[in-house]
Amino acid sequence: MVTPIRSAAVAALAAAALCTGCTPPPEPGPAAADTTSRTTPVAARTPDPPAPVVLLDPGHNGGNAAARTAITRQVPDGRGGTKPCNTTGTSTSDGYPEHAFTWDLAQRVRTRLEAAGVRVVMTRTDDDGVGPCVDERGAAARRASAVAAVSLHADGSSPSARGFHVAYADPPVHGTGPESLRLATTLRDALRSDGIPPADYIGRDGLDGRDDLAGLNTSAVPTALVEAGNMRNPAEAAAMSSPQGRDRYAAAVSAGVLAHLER
Ligand code: ZN
């Protein structure tokens, strides 16, 4: 459904780029204007379609650890229960925190999506604040009129475990179940085709249906959550801790988002 929107937006960008340096068309002279102004209908210029909006949700936040009362507050979990507002997230064994990884990754994904004509909205504006709570993160996508939402995380498991997985709400809460699964599958395919291995310790083939993630449960647009890898695995920790490694994750995630928008 969003194919024409994005394609047109990208085509418009491409056309603008191609015409850089083109000779501008000549201005019509007074005589030409006189003979056509009253008798020839002027074709209305088709307005550019609006850019599709994608919500990026970098997991956790740098101020969470020092705001225990705020982040342990119970909020709706999207299935009739409650959950803590937010958590601090995990870290590598060297202390590189998940919130810093997700924040940096989100900037890299954002740059790539915006270059492709997508408008990106974020759930947080920096990496030293508190929250927002998971239910607010879930609600942010509809508020932004986003066509898709992607939460970015990294896991903290046994050092021998490795690989990414993409979570989606299962069973679905809103009417977005099939589209959320399609988004998750497309992201999975993009990560895997970039050579990033699917998790060998959770989910199946890089996908994991979850009923306990409030950010997924409370989102009313197609939404998926990427756990890029296991921060406790030495090789994956090294990749996540390096700009080159984060760029690789960003390339795969943004390719997955764009592939989702194109279909
Ligand atoms: Zn996380």
Side-chain angles (χ1 to χ4, degrees):
M1 253 192 324
V2 295
T3 302
I5 298 174
R6 181 188 172 261
S7 297
V10 173
L13 288 173
L18 286 173
C19 279
T20 301
C22 288
T23 304
E27 295 288 334
D34 286 344
T35 56
T36 60
S37 60
R38 295 188 183 206
T39 56
T40 305
V42 178
R45 181 177 175 276
T46 305
D48 291 338
V53 178
V54 168
L55 183 90
L56 291 181
D57 173 36
H60 316 283
N61 206 333
N64 284 4
R68 184 171 171 75
T69 302
I71 68 165
T72 55
R73 177 171 69 87
Q74 293 292 302
V75 299
D77 70 355
R79 292 190 189 269
T82 63
K83 285 197 80 167
C85 159
N86 212 193
T87 57
T88 56
T90 187
S91 69
T92 68
S93 56
D94 289 340
Y96 179 55
E98 181 188 353
H99 65 78
F101 169 72
T102 65
W103 176 247
D104 183 277
L105 177 60
Q107 306 311 310
R108 293 171 190 273
V109 174
R110 176 182 198 159
T111 298
R112 289 169 179 271
L113 293 181
E114 288 180 341
V118 175
R119 191 159 78 80
V120 174
V121 175
M122 310 274 283
T123 55
R124 56 183 170 104
T125 55
D126 53 46
D127 192 36
D128 49 23
V130 176
C133 297
V134 281
D135 59 325
E136 296 167 36
R137 293 176 189 250
R142 170 164 277 182
R143 203 159 44 231
S145 300
V147 296
V150 179
S151 286
L152 300 169
H153 286 257
D155 209 358
S157 188
S158 152
S160 62
R162 70 164 196 164
F164 76 86
H165 63 282
V166 185
Y168 57 95
D170 184 32
V173 181
H174 302 279
T176 57
E179 280 295 291
S180 289
L181 179 57
R182 187 171 75 79
L183 173 61
T185 304
T186 307
L187 286 163
R188 185 275 311 271
D189 292 348
L191 285 155
R192 193 165 56 184
S193 70
D194 251 24
I196 301 169
D200 60 6
Y201 67 98
I202 188 171
R204 185 175 177 186
D205 293 333
L207 291 175
D208 192 23
R210 296 275 295 263
D211 65 4
D212 61 329
L213 296 177
L216 299 179
N217 297 340
T218 54
S219 178
V221 312
T223 302
L225 185 151
V226 175
E227 293 275 10
N230 174 18
M231 295 193 97
R232 297 292 173 163
N233 176 287
E236 297 194 328
M240 292 185 215
S241 300
S242 78
Q244 296 82 2
R246 292 193 291 273
D247 220 39
R248 186 179 178 203
Y249 288 112
V253 169
S254 52
V257 172
L258 292 175
H260 175 82
L261 297 180
E262 279 170 358
R263 278 196 277 166

